Amino acid sequence: MFPHEISDGSRDSEEIVIAEPQAESLEEGLAQRPEGKLIYSINDRPPWYLCILLGFQHYILAFGGILAIPLILAEPLCIKENNSAKSQLISTIFFVSGLCTLLQTTIGTRLPILQGGTFTFITPTLAILALPKWRCPDQTAHAHTNGSDSTTLLLESDEVWKVRIREIQGAILVSSLLQLFLGLSGLVGLVLKFIGPLAIAPTINLIGLSLFIQAGQKSGAHWGIAALTVCLILLFSQYLSKVELPLITYKDKKWKIFQYPLFKLFSALFGMCGAWLVCFLLTYFNALPSSPSEYGYHARTDINLDAVKSAAWFYLPYPAARESNTVKQQARESNTVKQQARESNTVKQQARESNTVKQQPRESNTFKQQARECSNSHYIEGLHQSGQWGLPTVSVSSVLGMMAGVLASTMESIGDYYACARLSGAPPPPTHAINRGIAVEGVGCILAALWGSGNGTTSYSQNIAALGITRVGSRLVLQTAGLLMIILGLFGKFSAIFITIPDPVIGGMFLIMFGMVAAVGISNLQYVDLNSSRNLLILGFSTFSVQELDQLIMVLFTTHMFIGGFFGFVLDNTIPGTSSKHYCWVR
């Protein structure tokens, strides 16, 4: 919903409670309340077991979108084959999402709204990682020259992706200060006056369309499995959405049956699990190729089983730790005593490695120099404090690119606040509540950057829609969901299980998910007069001229002659001074 079309409220949402009789349980509420009425409004407190059940439901609804982010970033971060790193990123992003959900529901807008990773940060992140200096090195040649030293190769491969995620951390950290400033200063309302649906629609639409490249790459591993995933999700979300299954509950010494729309609520989960099960059966009966070079190999479910075996049972994401233990932590990640022993006796191996640097490909050598330059300044005798991936690095170009994602996320969240208030039985949020919510989202993005999730946080629209389906708008339920995300994010093996999902299953889920993101952007055009030639011109140019302008800007700003001449022209014509000497050569 677009916020400009909704009148502002004059009362605080925290002071108003819809006084309706509370049902003892969910099944009684479904039976007693008329259609459209809330079972639990925003300040109601359902029984603890319902809070856990409904909170887990919100966790499941959000988990697909949250899980997609580290899986998308895995390849550009150069951790495609590093299952341990993937598991740690998944744990971190779920942990931070739960923490930010608690902050938003407690001191932010105090609406029942879930916070999680955002796709608006994905596009600038991919653009940053596509720069020549952040492209992945040639691991084949690198592994060949160090084939006898697996421990050194492990440590260097860890530094390959950590130096990149530190760049993303720094960009999100600094750019999120803009969101924090907009919320604390109250300038959100001023910004909204200049950003209308014609600016929002192409922004969000192009986010979804640009991510289809990732969906196509994943789906291309086996288009049949990807198509099966899409069909299953469509089956559960559209064709079976009105089918309510009977569930049994025990209440007042009696067994009771009530109807519940399971297919509508868990369509993405059921579709993904169904395709996952098919891949498991095909793998079990050896119906899929066993050679990595054959088409369909990546649909197997036994490719990444070592990720679950090697993952720690308990993993605590942290924003700061002493770097004196960095080597030992990396050895524990490898989870073998033999590797720890090698690491403590690598003096001769390091000497041999230093003698072979000149023989390595230039690309790999360049990366090692970049990694040393970024990391050596922070390794001061093991006493410097840093995050779990190292101290974030900051560059102006990355920060400016990430600010576009921050602004898009801010505008999207404001519309979510109004929709959430309406569905949870609260009045429209006043301006100060919106400002507070945006400020807390800025704090959440800063925390996500400090923890190193590789992304920021924003409000989740699909969870807001679930409020209308379940007719449960209690704030306590969402706080319970936040606690569940924190707790489940602490179990390393639980996060590692998701790595075993085959690529084509993920690709099929991406096709549906990114299509919905693009459609949400287009939906903002309902507030635009499409009979106006002015509006059509703005929409067409901003949507379909992006690629050409992007290529033009890339060519211009990577040409040294243009940059030098441009700044010389600007400075020469803006800095005060006498013109007689400047232009004496002109006749």
Side-chain angles (χ1 to χ4, degrees), residues 109-157:
T109 58
R110 302 199 70 213
L111 291 169
I113 193 166
L114 188 137
Q115 302 287 293
T118 169
F119 290 119
T120 59
F121 282 27
I122 292 290
T123 302
T125 299
L126 295 178
I128 293 170
L129 296 176
L131 295 175
K133 67 176 180 178
W134 298 125
R135 289 175 184 169
C136 297
D138 187 358
Q139 293 291 341
T140 303
H142 192 61
H144 178 73
T145 57
N146 295 278
S148 60
D149 191 356
S150 60
T151 304
T152 303
L153 182 60
L154 173 66
L155 299 181
E156 290 186 354
S157 65

Side-chain angles (χ1 to χ4, degrees), residues 367-417:
F367 160 72
K368 289 176 67 177
Q369 292 175 352
Q370 292 174 346
R372 291 193 190 99
E373 291 174 359
C374 295
S375 61
N376 287 343
S377 60
H378 309 308
Y379 282 80
I380 305 176
E381 296 180 359
L383 297 177
H384 192 75
Q385 296 287 333
S386 71
Q388 57 181 339
W389 319 131
L391 193 68
T393 59
V394 178
S395 63
V396 176
S397 59
S398 298
V399 171
L400 293 178
M402 199 64 71
M403 281 185 177
V406 169
L407 291 175
S409 175
T410 301
M411 298 303 107
E412 185 181 5
S413 294
I414 293 174
D416 288 339
Y417 295 160

Side-chain angles (χ1 to χ4, degrees), residues 395-468:
S395 63
V396 176
S397 59
S398 298
V399 171
L400 293 178
M402 199 64 71
M403 281 185 177
V406 169
L407 291 175
S409 175
T410 301
M411 298 303 107
E412 185 181 5
S413 294
I414 293 174
D416 288 339
Y417 295 160
Y418 284 96
C420 182
R422 189 184 77 253
L423 293 175
S424 63
T431 302
H432 64 83
I434 293 177
N435 291 333
R436 193 169 64 244
I438 295 300
V440 170
E441 282 202 18
V443 173
C445 290
I446 292 173
L447 292 178
L450 292 175
W451 255 268
S453 67
N455 200 254
T457 59
T458 191
S459 305
Y460 263 44
S461 303
Q462 60 264 41
N463 290 80
I464 296 174
L467 299 178

